[in-house]
Amino acid sequence: MTDSLPDPDSKDSAIVSMFNSLVELVSPEKKKVIDEDASLLDQSLSLAKEFFERQAAGGISLITSSDCADDVVALKNKSVCLKLNLGRLQALAGSKVHFIIDGTDVGSGSTQDSGEALMDYMAADAGCFHMDFSIESKIGIQVSDVRSNEDVLLHVLDRKPVVCVDARLITEQSAACDQQLFTMAEKGFDILYVDFGKKDRTDDIRQIRKERSLPLGAIVPLTARIRQFETFDVDFQQTFLSLTVNRLRAKGAPVVGFITESELDQQNVFPNVRIISPNETMDAESLQQLETNTRNFLLERDLFRKDSKNDIEWRLDQLVKGRWIPNNKCHVELDNKRARTSLFKAIDEANIRVDLQFYIFKESRFTHELGMHLAKAANRGVQVRLMVDALYSRENFLGSWNSFLRQIKKVNRIHILAADPLPLSSEWDTLSLRQRDHRKIAIIDNTIAFVGGRNAADEYYYSWSEVPISDWTTSDYIPWLDAHVELRGAAVQTVQTLFNDTWKRNRGADFPPIQRDRDQAKEKSIGSRVRLVVHDGISDANGLAAYEALIGGAKKTLFLVNDFPVIDDIAELLIHAVKRGVSVTFITGSVQARRADGSFFKGGIHRELFEYVTKSRLGMLSQAGVKVVEFQTKVLENIATVEGKVRPYVHAKLVTADGRYASIGSANLDISASYWEREANIVIEDPSVVSALDLQLCDFVKDGVVLDTNSLEWRREAPQREVVSKLWPDTFLN
């Protein structure tokens, strides 16, 4: 073999790294010398076989169930995703994992590059069932069945009352609530053990459950997620607990009680679930009340389930605060030029007040135009309130001020406020830096509202047809794909209230409320139903929960438009959606803009690195059956590059489900939007609006570039993705 690089299209090249890793793992003393008489593939398989046979001879199992398999909670006759994590190296030995429930092989799932094997399953009976696993070899070695020793459970719920118990009462306080659990189990209640400590105690709970003969029930561990956040010295336990319980209710589980000693804000955590002290006696009256609450829950659930189209609405009601507001007119705008025109037109027609909120406000052609329109409005007597995030707009941030905003503020009746300021004299910590206000909102006279992802800068409000683009153009100069919803109707008031509350929280001056006139209050009973989803930082996970409702409840189609690293919670739901037969299309972009041939435009190294992280996540989704498409412009006269097209960044945050529901707003599909930053999304329920939006997205797919994990472009960047994804922890993906 020569010293030259192997052909990227050859089979040998695809396994060079695996071969070298296996040499180091199996026989470090061997030199990395290639046998001229054997292919890399043959030698790699031989080394892999040698490694796993050594493991078996030494009595070492391929996997251990406690490390790679959690209990699964399912609903009777409802699809659930069974999962086993083999690990990336160990997955080399097994092409499929067979899932065995109470001794019956119910099917198999192929291992992914991540090392996980997934399978969609539907249980016909309620109860607790033991799960085992066996691995189907793909490299000619025998892999023993992996037995769980009856530890891993599939817990299928149906119509019995469900009570969760804080597992710390089991592990840290001997018999603190044992009698309560025995009493409830005798009455036919299902028990779930929720472990949200900082240490994984799954094995301890299983052992204690056996020793004390506690009721059999699934263990729901939150440890892994809590560990990710503990280094930030911010307590997310209540948020994770709320999300966990409400997820169960959204799936249809009648969770009516939670046994804990912790002081929880019941109204904010789970207002419809009774918090039970471990010292509380569960007398007949208490049990009867829980049973009554269960019947009421099931009546409401079954009413919704009569029409499968209502599943998303049911999930939203269980997961997200807020209410549906009927009789609205909605227009989703994906064209930057039209977005700019409509915003300026609304400002020019304002009579009383213009309220604007941006995450980023930087001096640019767009903000100069915006400032002119705001000044004209103020000069004719309109009050203007402009609120920007202190950190990302550099306004009242460690003694610095946005010089352009200082100029705009000189205009009479224009009031500027920094959201969550960080003055030089203040003490700041992780929370103050990460819990930023990411919302982008505009309200005109409490009559028109714009809610979306567009910041105040050129890339959000200028189209590709308006910017000359050549090979020497820098990536930052190329416009992005973004989206907002223009809203008219009763729901505008909820957006206005959100802005007013944020203005007040940041100590803005008082302004009198704008009353909607009687004609507006009597809108005809037509148009879209709308729901404002407000995520208020670390105190809730409403944005993530709303996305979960849309994805988890979809029956036919899902479109997603975003270009941020997809959080694991959403990735798993998307894979499960594919496995239950939903057509899932994910439209993304290039964090650092590319030409039509895939080459990068010149830009900052941070954007290129972030591109590798984002694509690494999307590659796994593609392998699982999600259709991932990179957005590409049409051929334009002002683009003088390969084929006259560009593949720009996609900044939109958009999800549609079943041609009926759509979410548009500021929340990305990443971890920052899910847990840290303040966000605002509008969820629309209107088949006419959403089906028209889906047609636009289908056009994007038609003109786009399908992500192909077998392509030369994809494999060429594999080393970069691998390195960056390992060095960039999930917790920092924002």
Side-chain angles (χ1 to χ4, degrees), residues 439 533-537 540-543 673-679:
R439 298 165 187 153
V533 176
V534 178
H535 170 40
D536 205 23
D540 65 70
N542 286 334
S674 298
Y675 292 112
W676 288 100
E677 296 188 317
R678 295 184 170 94
E679 310 283 0

Side-chain angles (χ1 to χ4, degrees), residues 12 48 60 69 90 176 184 290 310 324 331 333 345 444 458 496 556 610 630 729:
D12 287 350
I60 302 174
Q90 292 159 323
M184 292 178 179
L290 292 175
N310 293 331
W324 289 104
H331 172 71
E333 188 55 76
K345 182 176 184 293
I444 315 298
D458 289 349
Q496 182 70 71
K556 298 178 181 178
F610 201 59
E630 193 167 314

